[in-house]
Amino acid sequence: MNTQVAIIGGGPAGLLLSRLLQLNGVDNVVLERRSRDYVLSRIRAGVLEQGLVDLLQEADVHKRLKAEGEVHAGFDIAFHGEVCHLDLAELSDGKTVTVYGQTEVTRDLYDALDAAEATVIHEAENVALHDLDTDNPRVTFELNGQTQQLSATFIAGCDGFHGPSRQAIPASVREEYELTYPFGWLGILSETPPVGEELIYAGHESGFALCSMRSRKLSRYYVQCPSDDDVADWSDDRFWEELKSRLPTADANALVTGPSIEKSIAPLRSYVCEPMSWNRLFLAGDAAHIVPPTGAKGLNLAASDVHYLSRAFIDYFNKGGESLLRDYSKTALSRVWKAERFSWWMTRLLHCFPKQNNFEKNLQSAEFDYLQSSHAAKVALAENYVGLHY
Ligand code: FAS
Ligand code: PHB
C-alpha cells in the first residue's frame, strides 16, 4: 500500500487531519489501534474553542455541532465559597466557547470520512515507523495477524501520549519538558440536568471540583482525588457528597444527583516534546504535548496543530511549498507553550497541593482576590480560555 500521508492514530487529531487533507485532494490513510466502538466509548473533553468550531466547519462536519452544541458566553470560578463570574463575551470582544463532547466530534468525523470512503484502518496492531530520515518513509502494522506495509511521503503521528510516533524521534534529538501533579481527576457522567446554565470551576480546601455538561440532560462532573486513588473506592454516594462539599452552598443545594453512567480517573500532567517534527515525521495533538484539563485545552491544542499541519501538507502537495512544513514545529510550539502556561496557571490556582505551605496557600488566595478585583486579570483569563489566535 502507499499514500501521500500516513496518519497514525484515529482520535480527534488524526481524523480531523485526514478529513481536511481529503477535502483538499491529499491522499491519506489512518491507522488506528483500537476498534471504532472503543474509540467512541472514550469520554474526554467537552469545551470547544471558536478556532476548533471554525475548523470543524471548514471540514464540513459542523451540522450536528451547530444544532446540538451549547454556546457559552461565561462561567463561574468559585474559591473557598466566593464566586467570580467570567463574562467571556464582554471580556474577549464577543468570543465564546461551545460545549459539545469530544466523543460527538469524533463521531461526526467518522461519519464524514465514511461518506467520503476514506481509508481508516481499525485494530491495526504493532504499528512501527521506519526510514523516517529517507525520502521513502514507511509504516508496518499487523491486521488480522497479517503483516502489512504502508509507504508514504510523510507520516503524521497523531497517536496520543502512549503511541509509538514520538519515540520514533531519536532520544538525542528529543527535548522533553514535564510536570506531574500529585493528584488526578475523578470524572462521572450522569443522566441528570446540569447544576447550572454554565460551567463552575471550584477551588476548596478539600480539593478542586468542576461542574460541566454535555447537554441539558447529561452532566459531567469532576473532583480532584489523590493520583493513586482506585475508582472502585468511589461509590456514587461518596462522589456526590464530596462534590457538594466543594461547591458554593447555592450550587450544592441545587445539585441533582443520579447514577453514574461512566466513572474514571484521569492523571494530570504537563508535557511538551520538542521538536514536533523530525525529517518525514510530524507530531500533532497528545502525541506531542499534554495539558492538565483545568484549562480545557487538550482537544483544542490538537485542533490548532492540525490547522497548521494540514495547511503545510496541502501547500506541499498542491503547490510544492516547503516552508510551512519546515516551520511547523516552531509555529505549533509557540501556541502549545502558551496553552501549557494557562493550563498550569488554572491548575495551580484551583487545586490543593498536598505539600503546599502557608505562603503558597496565601498566594492562591491573593491570585483569586486579584482576579476578582482586576478587569485586566479577567481579560487575561478570558482571552486564554476562549482560545488565543491560530
Ligand atoms: P487521542 O489520545 O485522543 O487519540 C490518539 C489515538 O491514537 C487513539 O485513538 C489511540 O487508540 C491511537 N493509538 C495509540 N497508540 C496507537 C498505536 N500504537 N497504533 C495506532 N493507533 C494508536 N481534554 C480536555 O480538553 N478536557 C478534558 O476533560 C479531557 N479529559 C481527558 C481524559 C482522559 C482520560 C484523557 C486521556 C485525556 C483527556 N483530555 C481532555 C485530553 C484529550 O481530550 C486529548 O487532548 C485529545 O484526545 C487529543 O486528541 P489526540 O491528539 O487525537 O489524541
Ligand atoms: C468537560 O466537560 O469534560 C470539561 C470541561 C472543562 C474542562 C475540562 C473538562 O476544563
Side-chain angles (χ1 to χ4, degrees):
M1 263 196 298
N2 62 54
T3 186
Q4 290 177 307
V5 181
I7 299 172
I8 303 176
L15 295 177
L16 182 53
L17 178 62
S18 175
R19 175 64 175 167
L20 291 168
L21 294 182
Q22 174 251 322
L23 286 173
N24 288 276
V26 178
D27 188 61
N28 66 88
V29 171
V30 178
L31 297 175
E32 166 53 51
R33 179 175 63 173
R34 301 289 190 174
S35 70
R36 178 179 297 208
D37 286 350
Y38 184 95
V39 173
L40 289 173
S41 70
R42 290 190 292 231
I43 307 295
R44 288 190 174 167
V47 171
L48 310 187
E49 293 174 353
Q50 188 58 46
L52 173 48
V53 172
D54 295 346
L55 204 54
L56 292 171
Q57 181 140 0
E58 184 184 324
D60 194 17
V61 295
H62 58 292
K63 292 180 183 60
R64 208 158 60 94
L65 164 61
K66 294 286 185 186
E68 298 173 20
E70 265 191 12
V71 175
H72 281 217
F75 66 89
D76 279 350
I77 290 192
F79 188 79
H80 298 214
E82 284 196 63
V83 181
C84 174
H85 183 255
L86 275 293
D87 183 339
L88 293 174
E90 186 265 324
L91 293 162
S92 68
D93 300 331
K95 290 188 185 150
T96 56
V97 293
T98 301
V99 170
Y100 187 73
Q102 172 175 322
T103 309
E104 304 319 310
V105 171
T106 308
R107 197 189 313 281
D108 295 340
L109 284 164
Y110 268 136
D111 291 347
L113 289 167
D114 287 350
E117 295 177 347
T119 311
V120 180
I121 297 173
H122 285 93
E123 298 178 289
E125 297 183 317
N126 302 318
V127 168
L129 296 80
H130 309 276
D131 304 333
L132 294 171
D133 53 353
T134 72
D135 291 345
N136 306 294
R138 58 196 173 85
V139 181
T140 54
F141 60 99
E142 280 163 34
L143 195 61
N144 308 318
Q146 297 291 316
T147 299
Q148 311 272 345
Q149 174 166 294
L150 175 64
S151 302
T153 309
F154 296 108
I155 297 173
C158 302
D159 44 344
F161 188 69
H162 301 290
S165 295
R166 186 176 67 251
Q167 307 303 330
I169 299 179
S172 59
V173 172
R174 276 199 324 261
E175 288 285 342
E176 298 184 282
Y177 305 86
E178 184 164 20
L179 268 183
T180 52
Y181 299 89
F183 41 73
W185 279 18
L186 167 62
I188 73 159
L189 204 56
S190 61
E191 287 170 334
T192 54
V195 69
E197 294 299 313
E198 299 180 328
L199 273 67
I200 304 167
Y201 289 80
H204 186 274
E205 57 257 16
S206 308
F208 170 78
L210 171 61
C211 301
S212 183
M213 73 279 293
R214 293 293 178 270
S215 70
R216 289 287 107 208
K217 294 180 182 153
L218 193 58
S219 296
R220 179 74 169 158
Y221 293 107
Y222 298 93
V223 293
Q224 170 188 344
C225 65
S227 42
D228 56 1
D229 258 14
D230 182 340
V231 68
D233 296 336
W234 279 88
S235 69
D236 287 0
D237 288 348
R238 181 185 173 197
F239 179 88
W240 293 122
E241 225 33 61
E242 196 53 44
L243 176 65
K244 279 183 185 173
S245 73
R246 300 181 185 183
L247 295 179
T249 309
D251 299 313
N253 293 338
L255 185 71
V256 176
T257 64
S260 60
I261 56 174
E262 192 272 349
K263 194 189 292 181
S264 55
I265 293 178
L268 265 61
R269 167 190 290 121
S270 297
Y271 172 89
V272 178
C273 170
E274 292 189 7
M276 287 177 56
S277 64
W278 183 69
N279 291 310
R280 292 301 178 104
L281 171 65
F282 295 81
L283 304 180
D286 278 17
H289 43 71
I290 296 284
V291 284
T294 328
K297 291 297 158 219
L299 174 61
N300 292 298
L301 270 184
S304 48
D305 290 350
V306 167
H307 165 83
Y308 302 129
L309 189 53
S310 59
R311 273 148 182 72
F313 282 144
I314 292 162
D315 191 48
Y316 176 86
F317 286 108
N318 294 353
K319 297 179 191 158
E322 298 190 356
S323 62
L324 294 180
L325 279 174
R326 190 177 52 245
D327 297 344
Y328 166 70
S329 179
K330 182 166 173 280
T331 306
L333 282 166
S334 169
R335 191 172 192 275
V336 164
W337 274 111
K338 290 193 266 290
E340 291 282 350
R341 181 209 66 83
F342 175 67
S343 304
W344 166 85
W345 179 83
M346 283 280 278
T347 303
R348 287 206 58 87
L349 171 64
L350 294 168
H351 288 73
C352 279
F353 287 73
K355 298 202 174 86
Q356 197 170 34
N357 65 27
N358 288 343
F359 186 87
E360 290 164 314
K361 284 182 183 157
N362 281 0
L363 280 182
Q364 269 185 326
S365 301
E367 192 74 57
F368 184 75
D369 289 351
Y370 174 55
L371 180 65
Q372 273 197 308
S373 60
S374 161
H375 183 71
K378 292 188 183 73
V379 167
L381 195 164
E383 75 168 353
N384 280 278
Y385 194 84
V386 298
L388 300 179
H389 65 77
Y390 281 11

